[in-house]
Amino acid sequence: MKTKMIKNNILMLIDLIRGQGLKYFFMIVFSLITVIFFEIVSLAQVYPFIQLLTDGVRPVEGVLVKTINTQFGDITHTEFVRISAIILLCTVILKGLSTWVFTLYNTRYSFKLAEYTHLKMIERFHNVTYSQYKKIQFSNFLKFHVKELPTLAIIVSSTLLLVTEIFVFLAILIFIFTISPDVTLIALTMIGTIFLGNRYLISPKVVSLGVEREKSELLVVESLKRMFQGFIAHKFTNSTNVKTQRYPLLYSRYTDINILNILYQSASRILIESFGYGLVALIPLVIILTGRFDTFEFASFGIVMVSFLRLLPSINRITSSINVLAFSLPSLDLLRQYYFLETAQKYSEDINDFKTIDVDQLSIHYGQHKLITDLTFQIRKGDKIVISGPSGCGKTSLLERLIGLIPPDAGSVKINNSLKVDSENTDWSKRIAYLGQNSYVFNSSIRDNVVVGREFDATAYRKIIDICHLAQISMSDENSTASVGEDGNRLSGGQKQRVNLARVLYENPEIIILDEPTSAIDNETALSILKRIKSEFNDKTIIIIDHRKHFMPIATLTINFSLNEVQILRKE
């Protein structure tokens, strides 16, 4: 199971990298090669200085030395040091620039990949099947986009940094080995001990902290939702105190996890530095104890030590990157879950002229329970259909099948008795405007909430807000940016419902779907809205779920659910 998850993660990342484009990826590879080249060259150029300082003899071997002698001929020690220093300084500057370029491309590529993934996930979410959508915990989905997707940039950046440092590490190690194999073997032993200690003592704990962090974040978000949703109700209930008392404990645990992660990361760095500097002290001690002091090549030892001290940051970055990846991998698992959501392909199949919705032997099941069995009827263009009945009897389930959000468990629902109803058919879906029970109001003006990015038609807008009795609260807002508040908290429940109704009517579609559109509206206002809808939208097909039966007077077809049967009555 774990192998399959890793495989899916890799395939997903490859797919995202391909989608983002390979231009910057190849630029990263090129800058990586440049960084490695200048790392080795700069270390090689230090060697003549160390040889000159330790032996007092001007070196005659090496590419740099031979190049200087060829170009400048017989020069003094002072001139040799001056020229070598200038070349070394230029190399170090070029090394710094190449490192900066690598960091630039690495960072840009990582965050652009996260941006591309975010937009791709939004696109996939629009194409997710309705049944899959109902399974999604939306707060987790939002948290994923706000917090976990930036973590993807950290994962990619850390991976690229890890690969870079491994290549730098190997290149320097090979360079050291060509100078002093004995010292290199001792260094490898110490480095191996460091990696084993990190692998078996630190990394497993960091991995478990990463998993616990993910769970803790979800608990914190869920607890915040429970505390602040239904604000007024919480003012008058003792349960708020219980939740408030529990929340500090949850957040304290979340804080402790992050503290422990930093401590373990620090432990890894301290382990590397302690072993590294211990090795610098250990090697001379071994030389003295073995009696090799008089024959030892201190110039070679010096360059090895300089190289090894350069290795310490690489080792530190390698282990840090491994630990960062281990801590962040739960985010990748969450990305995989959302990335492989069941989606449906949009298509367009021409309906021509919509005339009827034909329901034949329709059955709807809820688990093992049969809500509807063998239901047959016809909806005609221009019909006003009112669906009523007790809660949980299957009204919304029927509505979802009538417009093609969910396929029937048995039987069929067809357009013009030929083409199956399917919400993925864009020629069908563009004819429908849907108002569900759990509609939304966002933090903007009433006009923005009604128009929602569509072309603004002042005449149509004024007509719609008049129908929905919003003129009194929206006229002053028509040419302003006055906000209705977060989730419409500056509006009453009835006003929010009327804003949502206005949004659907402003669309002016062929088919209007309303699920309990007046449940929070008083009878007088509801009846007034009803009369205006009948007058202004008489040619539209309107399907309404109506507990309070406000819309019964305009119904041409009623579908009434009782405990044992569904009664269908057409008014001619």
Side-chain angles (χ1 to χ4, degrees), residues 70-88:
T70 301
Q71 296 295 324
F72 298 97
D74 188 19
I75 56 177
T76 64
H77 279 15
T78 304
E79 290 171 330
F80 174 81
V81 170
R82 186 184 300 119
I83 293 168
S84 299
I86 291 170
I87 295 173
L88 177 60

Side-chain angles (χ1 to χ4, degrees), residues 180 182-184 186-187 190 275-306 308-309:
S180 178
D182 293 342
V183 174
T184 306
I186 296 172
M190 300 289 282
F275 270 81
Y277 290 110
L279 178 62
V280 174
L282 180 64
I283 291 176
L285 182 62
V286 171
I287 292 169
I288 294 170
L289 292 176
T290 54
R292 298 167 60 189
F293 186 80
D294 294 331
T295 60
F296 191 73
E297 295 183 9
F298 282 97
S300 298
F301 174 72
I303 190 63
V304 168
M305 287 300 98
V306 169
F308 184 73
L309 290 175

Side-chain angles (χ1 to χ4, degrees), residues 544-555:
I544 309 163
I545 292 179
D546 186 15
H547 262 112
R548 296 165 66 187
K549 301 184 179 180
H550 282 148
F551 290 86
M552 281 296 183
I554 68 168

